[in-house]
C-alpha cells in the first residue's frame, strides 16, 4: 500500500513510499532486513523526495537524554529521535551552555552529525565525544570518536564510507563547564549583554527574521552550501564585488556566502512553477504548492548555472535529494 510522504518532509512535494517504519525502540532495527532500498529519516527538514520512493522509509523516533557530570564538562548522551532545538533549549535550562549558536536548526539529533550541522561560527563537531550507530551488516552497535567521524564542513563519514551502512542511534556531546561565547558572526557582534541565553535569543530572532517557518511555507532551510574557494579566486572576486562576505577556512581557502551570491545575481523571487527563491533569504527555496520534483531540479540547475556564469563558483546543494530508489546529486547541467 502506497503511503504519502508529503507530511514527512518539510519541502512537501507530493510523493509516496511503499513502506514506512517508525523506530521507537532499537530492537526494531534488528528485525529489519535492509535488503531493498531504504531511506533513514528524522524530521525530514533536510530531505526532499523528488518522486515516489520505491523502498522503505525508516523514521527514527527514539527518545532519551542521559547526563553525566565530569570534572570539566557535562557529557550528554542523546538518543537519535530527540528534536535538536528542544535539546539546545533543554541544555540552557539545565545550566549547560555551549550549543546556543545552533538554536532553531530543524531536525533530529540523529541527523545532526551526518552533515555536521553548523551556524553562526559553531559546528556540531566541536562538541561531539562519540556517535553510536547500528551497523546494518553486523546488526551491532558501534561507537565512533569525533575524530573517527571525519567531520568537515557539512561532511562526515556517514555521507561517505558509512552511507547506507549505518543508522545513527545516539550522539554524545561534551559541554565544557567553562563557557566561552562565539560572537564572530553578524548580529552576535552587537550584543550588549553577553550570556548564553542572550546569544540563544539573538540566534532565534535572526533565524526567524530570515528563514520561513516550514510548517507555514514549505521549505528545507538553507538549500545550498557556502562554497569554499581558493584565495586567488577570492582576490579576483573582491575586485569586482568588494562587499562579498568571506570567512577564513584554511591557509589556501575562504568560505563565501552562497545566499549573497544568489541575491546579487538577481535571483530573489525567481520562480519555476510553485518553487521560488525566497524573498527574504536567497539561500532558501520555498514551495508554494503545485510543483513536482522536476520543477525543483530545474530551479537548482538554473541557480547553479547563473552562479557559475557570474562568479565561476560551483554551487552544491546541502539538502539531501531522494529519487525513486536512492539519493541523487544535481550538478551543473546534469542530474548525477
Amino acid at each position: 500500500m502506497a503511503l504519502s510522504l508529503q507530511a514527512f518532509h518539510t519541502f512537501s512535494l507530493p510523493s509516496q513510499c511503499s513502506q514506512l517504519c517508525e523506530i521507537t525502540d532499537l530492537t526494531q532495527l534488528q528485525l529489519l532486513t535492509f535488503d531493498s532500498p531504504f531511506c533513514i529519516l528524522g524530521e525530514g527538514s533536510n530531505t526532499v523526495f523528488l518522486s515516489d520512493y520505491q523502498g522503505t522509509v525508516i523514521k527514527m523516533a527514539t527518545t532519551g537524554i542521559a547526563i553525566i557530570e565530569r570534572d570539566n564538562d557535562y557529557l550528554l548522551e542523546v538518543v537519535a529521535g530527540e528534536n535538536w532545538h528542544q535539546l539546545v533549549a533543554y541544555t540552557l535550562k539545565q545550566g549547560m551552555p555551549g550549543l546556543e549558536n545552533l538554536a532553531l536548526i530543524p531536525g533530529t539529533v540523529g541527523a545532526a552529525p551526518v552533515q555536521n550541522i553548523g551556524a553562526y561560527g559553531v559546528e556540531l563537531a566541536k562538541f561531539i565525544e562519540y556517535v553510536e550507530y547500528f551497523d546494518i551488516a553486523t546488526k551491532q552497535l558501534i561507537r565512533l570518536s569525533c575524530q573517527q567521524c571525519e567531520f568537515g564542513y557539512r561532511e562526515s563519514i556517514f555521507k561517505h564510507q558509512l552511507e547506507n551502512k549505518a543508522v545513527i542511534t545516539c550522539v554524545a556531546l561534551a559541554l565544557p563547564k567553562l563557557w566561552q561565547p562565539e560572537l564572530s558572526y553578524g548580529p552576535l557582534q552587537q550584543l550588549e549583554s553577553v550570556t548564553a541565553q542572550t546569544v540563544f535569543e539573538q540566534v532565534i530572532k535572526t533565524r526567524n527574521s530570515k528563514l520561513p517557518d516550514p510548517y507555514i511555507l514549505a521549505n528545507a532551510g538553507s538549500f545550498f552550501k557556502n562554497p569554499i574557494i581558493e584565495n586567488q579566486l577570492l582576490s579576483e572576486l573582491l575586485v569586482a564585488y568588494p562587499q562579498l562576505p568571506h570567512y577564513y577556512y584554511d591557509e589556501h581557502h575562504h568560505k563565501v556566502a552562497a545566499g549573497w551570491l544568489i541575491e546579487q545575481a538577481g535571483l530573489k523571487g525567481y520562480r519555476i512553477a510553485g518553487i521560488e527563491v525566497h524573498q527574504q533569504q536567497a539561500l532558501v527555496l520555498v514551495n508554494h504548492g503545485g510543483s513536482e520534483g522536476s520543477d525543483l531540479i530545474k530551479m537548482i540547475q538554473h541557480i547553479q548555472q547563473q552562479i557559475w556564469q557570474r562568479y565561476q563558483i560551483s554551487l552544491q546543494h546541502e539538502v539531501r535529494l531522494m529519487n525513486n530508489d536512492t539519493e541523487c546529486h544535481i550538478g551543473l547541467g546534469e542530474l548525477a
Side-chain angles (χ1 to χ4, degrees):
M1 183 179 70
L3 299 167
S4 174
L5 288 169
Q6 197 157 7
F8 288 91
H9 67 123
T10 61
F11 203 80
S12 199
L13 286 176
S15 54
Q16 297 180 325
C17 69
S18 55
Q19 185 174 358
L20 177 68
C21 180
E22 185 172 75
I23 302 296
T24 57
D25 188 292
L26 294 185
T27 57
Q28 293 172 264
L29 291 174
Q30 298 279 353
L31 303 176
L32 293 177
T33 59
F34 295 98
D35 56 359
S36 61
F38 63 90
C39 172
I40 309 297
L41 198 65
E43 294 181 356
S45 58
N46 194 56
T47 299
V48 175
F49 290 93
L50 297 171
S51 60
D52 291 347
Y53 185 69
Q54 308 300 323
T56 301
V57 173
I58 301 169
K59 181 173 173 56
M60 294 300 292
T62 50
T63 58
I65 302 173
I67 302 172
I68 302 169
E69 182 174 359
R70 303 189 293 199
D71 290 344
N72 299 315
D73 61 20
Y74 297 97
L75 181 69
L76 278 70
E77 296 176 319
V78 189
V79 177
E82 289 283 347
N83 175 272
W84 175 260
H85 174 69
Q86 290 176 11
L87 172 68
V88 176
Y90 172 80
T91 59
L92 291 183
K93 288 180 181 178
Q94 298 297 315
M96 300 179 294
L99 302 178
E100 55 281 344
N101 291 54
L102 304 178
L104 218 60
I105 295 178
T108 59
V109 170
V114 176
Q115 63 161 359
N116 184 22
I117 61 170
Y120 298 101
V122 174
E123 289 187 341
L124 177 66
K126 176 181 178 181
F127 303 102
I128 293 280
E129 178 134 331
Y130 69 79
V131 176
E132 177 188 270
Y133 70 91
F134 175 80
D135 185 276
I136 290 172
T138 65
K139 295 188 178 295
Q140 301 294 315
L141 291 177
I142 297 175
R143 287 185 178 181
L144 295 181
S145 68
C146 181
Q147 184 176 6
Q148 289 174 315
C149 289
E150 300 179 8
F151 290 120
Y153 173 60
R154 301 294 185 267
E155 291 287 355
S156 73
I157 193 172
F158 301 102
K159 293 179 72 172
H160 299 284
Q161 295 97 312
L162 291 180
E163 184 180 12
N164 295 326
K165 297 178 181 178
V167 181
I168 293 175
T169 55
C170 180
V171 179
L173 306 170
L175 302 182
K177 291 181 177 179
L178 182 61
W179 177 68
Q180 291 184 309
E182 171 53 66
L183 306 172
S184 60
Y185 268 59
L188 301 183
Q189 298 174 348
Q190 315 304 323
L191 283 175
E192 295 180 3
S193 172
V194 178
T195 67
Q197 186 65 31
T198 59
V199 172
F200 176 74
E201 291 169 358
Q202 183 62 53
V203 168
I204 291 175
K205 180 181 178 181
T206 303
R207 290 184 72 93
N208 278 334
S209 70
K210 293 183 176 182
L211 302 174
D213 184 335
Y215 299 103
I216 297 175
L217 179 56
N219 72 88
S222 298
F223 208 94
F224 296 96
K225 297 179 184 179
N226 288 324
I228 296 168
I229 64 173
E230 293 184 355
N231 291 343
Q232 176 62 36
L233 177 56
L234 175 63
S235 298
E236 295 170 4
L237 288 172
L238 286 174
V239 173
Y241 310 101
Q243 303 302 316
L244 171 62
H246 56 282
Y247 309 95
Y248 178 86
Y249 184 77
D250 61 29
E251 184 180 355
H252 303 291
H253 300 85
H254 275 70
K255 187 189 302 180
V256 296
W260 189 93
L261 298 175
I262 296 169
E263 180 174 352
Q264 295 302 308
L267 291 170
K268 265 189 176 180
Y270 182 79
R271 188 162 174 163
I272 295 177
I275 296 171
E276 180 186 33
V277 179
H278 190 45
Q279 299 278 359
Q280 278 71 50
Q281 171 53 274
L283 196 54
V284 176
L285 303 183
V286 298
N287 176 20
H288 295 284
S291 305
E292 299 179 349
S294 58
D295 299 315
L296 178 58
I297 292 171
K298 291 175 186 174
M299 174 66 83
I300 294 169
Q301 291 177 333
H302 178 76
I303 293 171
Q304 289 173 329
Q305 288 161 2
Q306 293 298 307
I307 298 308
W308 176 257
Q309 290 170 11
R310 191 178 182 98
Y311 310 106
Q312 285 71 60
I313 290 177
S314 178
L315 212 55
Q316 298 178 347
H317 54 87
E318 179 178 323
V319 174
R320 183 172 64 150
L321 303 175
M322 304 299 298
N323 60 22
N324 60 356
D325 63 357
T326 188
E327 182 176 355
C328 61
H329 302 276
I330 298 174
L332 280 169
E334 62 180 358
L335 177 60

